[in-house]
Amino acid sequence: VTAVSLCAWLFQFILARVLFSQKKINKKDDDLPLAIDNRRLYHITSYFLFFFNLMVGFFSSIWRLLLGGFMGAMLQARIDHSVLMRILENWDSGFKSYLGMLRIEVA
């Protein structure tokens, strides 16, 4: 999936640079102007690549959710920090147990 999306991104980048970017107005300019050349081909390409980019974005977000869940599960072992916000720390039973153990240890 990564190789296909990388190839598609490279294809879109090359198309944007070669076919869709307007040429420089002055030779002394550093950047290309922000104008589209070959507007009809641009609309056709963006129409067909929209669905591909939609699927790449969907699978990328699913991958990020799975990776975030995995990393959250791996980093859950730290009980000296609550995973909740400061206001909601009292709802974290593991963190409250840890604080109670500290209070008993200090007393």
Side-chain angles (χ1 to χ4, degrees), residues 56-107:
V56 168
F58 175 73
F59 286 121
S60 173
S61 65
I62 295 297
W63 174 250
R64 290 184 68 188
L65 281 172
L66 290 174
L67 189 62
F70 175 74
M71 292 304 291
M74 290 294 111
L75 298 174
Q76 188 66 29
R78 280 194 77 177
I79 61 170
D80 58 336
H81 293 289
S82 177
V83 293
L84 300 175
M85 294 183 294
R86 201 47 115 177
I87 300 168
L88 304 174
E89 281 179 346
N90 290 329
W91 291 8
D92 191 357
S93 60
F95 184 68
K96 282 178 29 179
S97 303
Y98 175 72
L99 289 180
M101 190 237 358
L102 284 181
R103 288 187 187 124
I104 290 174
E105 191 176 290
V106 170

Side-chain angles (χ1 to χ4, degrees), residues 10-27:
L10 188 63
F11 175 70
Q12 291 176 39
F13 184 78
I14 290 171
L15 280 178
R17 278 295 204 189
V18 175
L19 292 177
F20 302 142
S21 293
Q22 191 179 33
K23 306 298 181 232
K24 290 183 180 180
I25 297 171
N26 293 329
K27 297 291 183 184

Side-chain angles (χ1 to χ4, degrees), residues 2-12:
T2 306
V4 173
S5 61
L6 185 64
C7 289
W9 177 83
L10 188 63
F11 175 70
Q12 291 176 39

